Amino acid sequence: MICMAEKRIVYMDHSATTYTRREVLDAMIPYHTEFFGNPSSQLYSIGRVSQKALDTARAQTARALGAEPDEIYFTSGGSESDNWAIKGIARANRKKGNHIITSRIEHHAVLHACEYLEKEGFTVTYLSVDKYGLVDPAELEKVITDKTVLITIMYANNEIGTIEPIAELGAIARKHKVYFHTDAVQVIGNVPVDVKAQNIDLLSLSAHKFYGPKGVGALYIRKGTKIDNLIHGGGQERRRRAGTENVAGIVGLGKAIELATADIDGHNRHIRELRDRLMKGILEKIPHARLNGHPEKRLPGNINISFEFIEGESILIWLDDEGICASTGSACTSGSLEPSHVLLATGLPVEISHGSLRLTLGNVNTDTDVDFVLDVLPKVVSRLREMSPLYQKSGKEGGCNVQ
Ligand SMILES: Cc1ncc(COP(=O)(O)O)c(C=O)c1O
């Protein structure tokens, strides 16, 4: 539970963003105040101090991923890292081929980058997923051609929390000598990552998803990878992404990733216990509800549940009234309410996917928070159903859960 001004807030939207940890903020502040030098100003001490801070953060990030420091490139976040990986690999390897493989449940930073490349003449295969959101490695192997230059499959899904068989997918890419990128934005601090063991050539991450600051991320690029530079200009990030570095942000990322990956199991044990109790409680207390995503292969804090006969947005508004922050898979696009592309890809009917709620727990949550949501949510769903003509017509009051 968090107290904002007078209001008690139960924050269960950690997949959207996290607060910045105190230790992370403390590590960043000196780089806004006394050590404000430009890391490129090597002829005086405060410039050299900034450069050293970047080196430390690069080493911390590399260690967390099982990479080498000179394989880490700092960016402005997950979207930039995804765009760089996808467009950079596609364009640099155009002579070899024009085929990209991804999945239908990727984040829009991946899907829209792929769609953009289609306009440049690339062909993209969008792999289907099963009812849990899992990509089938055999399906991946089937669609690889001698024109495939990139496979980009997310490590874990941001909406339903499903964790993909990344090492297996990476091994297939390696066998066929195709570059393999994974969007691991939701994964850092939740699942152990080892880029070498998992055959990952490129990996995107973003600090604000693991208790670091917003607007800073990284792209891991395996040594020897043929990729276009992102920003032309000065010599920063080994000439691949020019521009004066966000030193304080990068220091924060380094500290946050070190803390988040120090004890992944220990850190997540309590979150997983709270999540399981909440998930079980919701499914027991609320009829006509179904869990989305895989029952076990899912991120430790993720719950995604669809409630029949009502809209996810209405649930959110009522929860907000009670001080509960959550989210839904639906996105408001061009003034119309689009159902989640992820839920649709898992085969959920449009009308049920509209009634979805995502609760993502993190290290601020307590047993009291879980009790509170278990008290409020069934009342909210019940009140909304009372107002729903669909529910009245269905005559389903008091039925059992749809699994
Ligand atoms: C899976 C995934 N990829 C990419 C992004 C984009 O990251 P950023 O907000 O740092 O640009 C997000 C953010 O929600 C995400 O969940």
Side-chain angles (χ1 to χ4, degrees):
M1 189 218 303
I2 312 170
C3 285
M4 284 180 72
E6 300 292 286
K7 199 171 173 186
R8 161 198 154 126
I9 296 283
V10 172
Y11 185 77
M12 289 201 181
D13 203 15
H14 289 83
S15 277
T17 198
T18 56
Y19 72 96
T20 303
R21 272 177 133 135
R22 189 75 239 177
E23 307 95 296
V24 169
L25 210 52
D26 288 344
M28 292 169 65
I29 287 169
Y31 295 93
H32 280 300
T33 52
E34 67 255 55
F35 305 130
F36 59 86
N38 189 321
S40 298
S41 303
Q42 285 296 296
L43 294 177
Y44 48 79
S45 62
I46 59 166
R48 290 192 294 273
V49 170
S50 291
Q51 182 56 52
K52 222 164 149 231
L54 294 183
D55 294 343
T56 302
R58 213 179 295 282
Q60 287 166 320
T61 310
R63 210 172 303 126
L65 304 178
E68 301 299 323
D70 60 359
E71 295 176 313
I72 303 299
Y73 296 84
F74 293 115
T75 66
S76 67
S79 302
E80 182 182 322
S81 297
D82 285 344
N83 271 263
W84 184 10
I86 294 165
K87 294 176 192 162
I89 289 288
R91 290 171 181 160
N93 295 278
R94 180 86 204 225
K95 279 207 184 105
K96 182 198 163 198
N98 68 341
H99 181 224
I100 297 166
I101 302 170
T102 187
S103 83
R104 288 172 57 199
I105 61 163
E106 299 296 311
H107 188 271
H108 284 127
V110 167
L111 289 177
H112 290 166
C114 288
E115 285 162 20
Y116 186 79
L117 286 172
E118 286 181 288
K119 291 191 202 131
E120 288 185 9
F122 286 88
T123 307
V124 182
T125 300
Y126 298 89
L127 290 172
S128 298
V129 292
D130 69 8
K131 65 175 177 176
Y132 300 121
L134 284 170
V135 168
D136 179 1
E139 206 53 45
L140 169 66
E141 189 148 29
K142 260 193 244 160
V143 299
I144 297 174
T145 72
D146 57 356
K147 293 276 177 278
T148 310
V149 289
L150 175 70
I151 296 166
T152 171
I153 308 282
M154 70 200 317
Y155 202 129
N157 186 267
N158 47 303
E159 289 186 32
I160 56 176
T162 299
I163 301 170
E164 302 294 340
I166 284 303
E168 215 180 319
L169 300 171
I172 292 168
R174 184 61 50 85
K175 183 173 130 195
H176 292 271
K177 298 191 171 53
V178 177
Y179 286 124
F180 182 58
H181 166 249
T182 189
D183 174 339
V185 167
Q186 292 291 339
V187 161
I188 306 299
N190 289 324
V191 182
V193 173
D194 184 335
V195 289
K196 300 278 185 299
Q198 294 171 313
N199 301 295
I200 297 167
D201 297 309
L202 303 108
L203 178 144
S204 304
L205 59 87
S206 183
H208 73 103
K209 306 289 186 178
F210 48 89
Y211 309 97
K214 293 171 185 54
V216 59
L219 179 64
Y220 155 78
I221 307 177
R222 183 186 285 269
K223 229 173 272 174
T225 298
K226 202 171 159 196
I227 182 165
D228 268 7
N229 293 345
L230 181 67
I231 303 176
H232 303 99
Q236 294 91 351
E237 298 301 297
R238 280 142 289 148
R239 309 199 85 78
R240 286 183 149 169
R241 183 192 185 269
T244 301
E245 299 88 343
N246 170 10
V247 179
I250 291 169
V251 166
L253 186 155
K255 186 73 185 169
I257 204 166
E258 187 177 79
L259 293 170
T261 55
D263 176 18
I264 291 183
D265 278 349
H267 162 72
N268 285 302
R269 198 169 305 128
H270 186 53
I271 294 174
R272 189 176 274 114
E273 280 165 11
L274 291 176
R275 189 274 314 267
D276 288 347
R277 187 162 78 80
L278 180 55
M279 194 155 74
K280 194 164 166 277
I282 294 172
L283 291 170
E284 276 171 8
K285 285 180 161 211
I286 306 178
H288 313 300
R290 63 160 277 163
L291 179 69
N292 298 310
H294 197 282
E296 286 105 37
K297 294 175 192 166
R298 71 188 302 135
L299 291 170
N302 176 286
I303 298 177
N304 188 311
I305 294 186
S306 297
F307 302 99
E308 282 188 74
F309 314 112
I310 51 176
E311 298 281 334
E313 278 69 22
S314 316
I315 306 175
L316 288 190
I317 293 164
W318 286 44
L319 289 183
D320 178 47
D321 248 16
E322 300 283 349
I324 299 169
C325 305
S327 93
T328 153
S330 307
C332 207
T333 315
S334 343
S336 72
L337 224 44
E338 297 271 323
S340 149
H341 67 287
V342 176
L343 294 177
L344 294 184
T346 64
L348 205 65
V350 175
E351 57 293 357
I352 299 185
S353 71
H354 270 305
S356 304
L357 177 73
R358 181 185 76 175
L359 297 161
T360 45
L361 283 73
N363 71 11
V364 298
N365 294 124
T366 60
D367 274 302
T368 315
D369 291 350
V370 168
D371 292 337
F372 185 59
V373 175
L374 281 176
D375 179 44
V376 170
L377 185 60
K379 291 181 197 153
V380 166
V381 172
S382 168
R383 262 181 252 146
L384 286 168
R385 280 182 176 161
E386 278 164 24
M387 296 178 339
S388 156
L390 283 175
Y391 188 60
Q392 309 305 328
K393 256 197 254 165
S394 76
K396 271 196 174 176
E397 291 98 311
C400 59
N401 291 332
V402 182
Q403 293 297 330

